Amino acid sequence: MNRLSTPTAATPFTTPWGTFDLTRFPEDPRERLRAWDAADEYLLRHLAGESDSAQGEATELTGRTVVVLGDRWGALTTALAAALTTASTTPSTMASTALSTAAPVQISDSHLGRQATLANLARSGAAPDAARLLTTRETPPERIDVLLVRVPKSLALLEDQLHRLAPAVGPGTVVIGTGMVTEIHTSTLQLFERILGPTRTSLAARKARLIFCTPDPALDPGPSPWPHTYALPGDIGPASGRTVVNHAGTFCAERLDIGTRFLLGHLPVAAPGARVVDLGCGNGVLGTAAALASPGAELVFLDESHQAVASAEATFRANLGPDAPAEFLTADALGPDAVPAGSVDLVLNNPPFHSHQATTDATAWRMFTGARRALRPGGELWVVGNRHLGYHLKLRRLFGNCELVAGNPKFVVLRAVRR
Ligand SMILES: C[S@@+](CC[C@H](N)C(=O)[O-])C[C@H]1O[C@@H](n2cnc3c(N)ncnc32)[C@H](O)[C@@H]1O
């Protein structure tokens, strides 16, 4: 293999509308993974009429409502913002015309993805209004002319979002999906078919594929089957038999995770008035169980996924009532923008070991670091994890202590105290 031709995180993203130096979020100089891939490139080349499947014909973007669903780190949004800015710049004056109607609309579930998009737009020199960034929970545009879908890892999220966007898609809407070959399955295409209309795929190029869907106005896909609700098992302490609400894309949306279950069996009780953070809350099962076990505790639910935070709020409300006080935050780890330093008594955490298609312990490390900063002296971080992940080493390095609360052949519950 020619090592020089292997793209690295620093390889610029070359598109028909310019070359961009993109970053993931948070920016890390040691990062080896790029913020774009061949699926992003393929879609943009197709839109510019430069792919085999486009047969020389560019997709009309100017003056149209272009929606990008599931853009990972803002590569598509940044390039399209440049495309639409170029298109709306008059050659005589080279002055940019108003962008509010031309700006691409990004719809993303990820706080990290949104922060990366903001950073990448700024790096590209784009104006602050060069793109409109919406979350998967916000009302989408009423009419969509061009719908571009970066196929998400979660089929459930795709299903739910296609249902949400279907009313804005008309017979004239151009719908194109993109993904790496390994990300596009028969079930992915069936979703497009079932919710929007007839669907076919392109030939693969550099292990990426496009999805072409022709909206069928006669199709009635019915309502989204999300959110899903399930009841917790009967032997897990104060949360036994309680309801868990899961919006699409949330971790373990169909049943309780076995690691989470192990921590539920060993959950500490917090004093009245104690501030407890469910860090990486997912559907909020840990924080809700803590609230049930510790009357008077103040709960904070935090996740980088908007779908997760909405699920946690729904789970908490279903069990503690509509007016019970709690905070629900979409943020990265437990950084300075989330809660003040030294303000928290207890952090509960089942860290992810996958982040955005990559297997990494970087997020766990950021979560432990954030927890240490957020905890008051004497405050505790309780972590559940696979035994083989060796979280105790990280916790000992950060906190100077780490105690094994419970273990089974697969999982450990660890406790670290902020001295
Ligand atoms: C293993 S799941 C645990 C979910 C839930 N606490 C449970 O036990 O069922 C990890 C969660 O961390 C969230 N997460 C991933 N990266 C994050 C980050 N940088 N900041 C905050 N939450 C993050 C994921 O969205 C996911 O909901």
Side-chain angles (χ1 to χ4, degrees):
M1 184 169 62
N2 175 2
R3 287 174 61 87
L4 288 177
S5 69
T6 307
T8 67
T11 309
F13 182 42
T14 302
T15 78
W17 298 284
T19 296
F20 304 96
D21 162 32
L22 302 179
T23 179
R24 293 186 171 209
F25 182 89
E27 203 177 332
D28 179 351
R30 291 161 305 170
E31 179 64 81
R32 284 171 294 117
L33 298 170
R34 283 177 297 158
W36 54 274
D37 63 17
D40 298 318
E41 278 181 328
Y42 196 178
L43 176 58
L44 293 173
R45 278 194 293 111
H46 179 86
L47 293 174
E50 295 175 9
S51 74
D52 286 348
S53 46
Q55 295 175 336
E57 211 173 297
T59 305
E60 184 58 60
L61 301 173
T62 317
R64 307 182 82 192
T65 304
V66 179
V67 169
V68 185
L69 173 66
D71 195 6
R72 303 265 159 90
W73 304 102
L76 294 172
T77 308
T78 304
L80 288 165
L84 290 163
T85 308
T86 311
S88 62
T89 302
T90 51
S92 53
T93 61
M94 289 309 281
S96 210
T97 56
L99 287 177
S100 51
T101 53
V105 181
Q106 182 195 74
I107 299 179
S108 166
D109 175 42
S110 168
H111 173 79
L112 303 185
R114 183 192 179 96
Q115 296 308 109
T117 305
L118 289 170
N120 288 326
L121 285 167
R123 281 164 168 245
S124 76
D129 63 353
R132 218 176 122 212
L133 308 187
L134 297 180
T135 75
T136 45
R137 310 296 309 160
E138 288 176 300
T139 308
E142 267 175 28
R143 202 198 74 193
I144 299 174
D145 300 314
V146 180
L147 174 59
L148 306 173
V149 182
R150 175 64 216 239
V151 170
K153 190 175 156 209
S154 162
L155 201 63
L157 187 60
L158 179 63
E159 178 182 39
D160 185 53
Q161 289 302 307
L162 290 184
H163 271 286
R164 275 169 62 85
L165 299 181
V169 170
T173 304
V174 175
V175 180
I176 310 175
T178 190
M180 299 308 290
V181 168
T182 49
E183 298 165 343
I184 298 175
H185 311 283
T186 308
S187 51
T188 317
L189 305 177
Q190 283 169 344
L191 276 186
F192 280 91
E193 291 258 354
R194 186 160 55 73
I195 302 169
L196 296 181
T199 299
R200 63 185 175 86
T201 56
S202 71
L203 291 174
R206 295 182 53 219
K207 297 185 185 162
R209 217 183 262 292
L210 300 179
I211 298 170
F212 300 109
C213 174
T214 309
D216 175 2
L219 207 62
D220 176 13
S224 169
W226 294 92
H228 286 188
T229 296
Y230 63 79
L232 289 171
D235 55 354
I236 52 156
S240 294
R242 296 293 188 140
T243 300
V244 183
V245 184
N246 299 272
H247 287 288
T250 305
F251 172 78
C252 266
E254 309 289 349
R255 77 197 69 83
L256 184 62
D257 173 55
I258 45 173
T260 311
R261 183 185 179 125
F262 193 53
L263 178 51
L264 284 174
H266 300 277
L267 214 55
V269 175
R275 203 162 148 77
V276 181
V277 177
D278 182 349
L279 175 56
C281 60
N283 56 26
V285 63
L286 288 174
T288 299
L292 291 165
S294 312
E298 293 172 17
L299 264 297
V300 179
F301 294 83
L302 184 150
D303 204 288
E304 80 90 22
S305 151
H306 295 275
Q307 297 288 108
V309 174
S311 305
E313 179 156 14
T315 299
F316 180 80
R317 300 257 166 262
N319 292 286
L320 278 300
D323 303 320
E327 271 182 72
F328 301 91
L329 305 177
T330 310
D332 175 31
L334 202 41
D337 54 338
V339 299
S343 66
V344 170
D345 298 282
L346 175 64
V347 176
L348 304 172
N349 185 215
N350 177 8
F353 54 94
H354 285 106
S355 177
H356 297 257
Q357 269 70 26
T359 305
T360 170
D361 61 2
T363 309
W365 182 254
R366 263 203 330 281
M367 285 180 160
F368 299 166
T369 313
R372 186 177 178 279
R373 191 199 58 83
L375 286 167
R376 63 164 174 74
E380 299 182 2
L381 166 62
W382 286 56
V383 175
V384 66
N386 268 285
R387 189 177 273 282
H388 73 84
L389 292 172
Y391 286 150
H392 62 286
L393 299 172
K394 285 190 170 54
L395 292 172
R396 223 172 267 148
R397 228 174 101 192
L398 263 174
F399 287 77
N401 67 89
C402 176
E403 178 198 324
L404 177 71
V405 176
N408 67 20
K410 202 152 183 231
F411 293 100
V412 286
V413 173
L414 303 168
R415 181 177 78 118
V417 182
R418 169 90 154 102
R419 302 276 189 230

